[in-house]
Amino acid sequence: MFNRELITRFLLRRPAALTSRTARWAVLALTGIGAAFLVWSAVIHLELWGDGYRDISVIGPLFLVQGTACIILGVAIVAFRWLALIAAGAVAGVATAVGLLLSVYVGLFGYTESLSVPYATLSLAVEFTAAFVLLAAAGLLALGRARPRADRAAPGLPQAEWLRTLGR
């Protein structure tokens, strides 16, 4: 039914797997830019948390969680560059922006926000930009042509030697 190894390999795909050098560099650039925007969103939320949002029931702890989680996610995206992490970063950007929009137009956990408060529009722009850029990186990485695994041998090791080190 599902090939667990194949799915895992796909989700852990990195830019080095792509055949095109241009695609690899584009994914690397988009990943770094998207992760930076994700961290920027986190910094905004942590600053607002420190400026008084911490006293708002449910919303305050969510600001702290968003700030902490997005910094960790941004660093992990840059460190590992796995497709699954890049996609998770895009989802985090959209989820954060949608949370703000819900709190403005519907109310969230009994709290209603306004787009006229400090950082609201900047936060939306930063979060949607992070999501868009990371989604573009994930799309390139997911849809780009991958090199055969044997072609990704470690430098300096003959192909057969590299395969033996993997226990094949």
Side-chain angles (χ1 to χ4, degrees), residues 37-38 41-42 44-45 62-63 66 70 88-106 108 113-115 119-132:
F37 273 95
L38 200 60
S41 168
I44 290 170
H45 280 78
L62 286 176
F63 269 55
Q66 190 277 356
C70 283
V91 169
V94 168
T96 304
V98 167
L100 173 57
L101 292 173
L102 281 173
S103 72
V104 168
Y105 294 109
V106 178
L108 197 58
E113 186 64 83
S114 167
L115 288 178
Y119 297 112
T121 54
L122 174 63
S123 180
L124 278 176
V126 167
E127 290 149 7
F128 278 128
T129 301
F132 176 77

Side-chain angles (χ1 to χ4, degrees), residues 60-84:
L62 286 176
F63 269 55
L64 182 60
V65 167
Q66 190 277 356
T68 306
C70 283
I71 287 173
I72 292 169
L73 184 56
V75 170
I77 288 169
V78 170
F80 298 108
R81 298 177 308 275
W82 293 333
L83 176 59

Side-chain angles (χ1 to χ4, degrees), residues 6 27 47 60 69 73 76 95 133 141 146 152 156 167:
L6 188 63
V27 170
E47 186 171 325
L73 184 56
V133 171
L141 187 53
R152 291 182 254 161

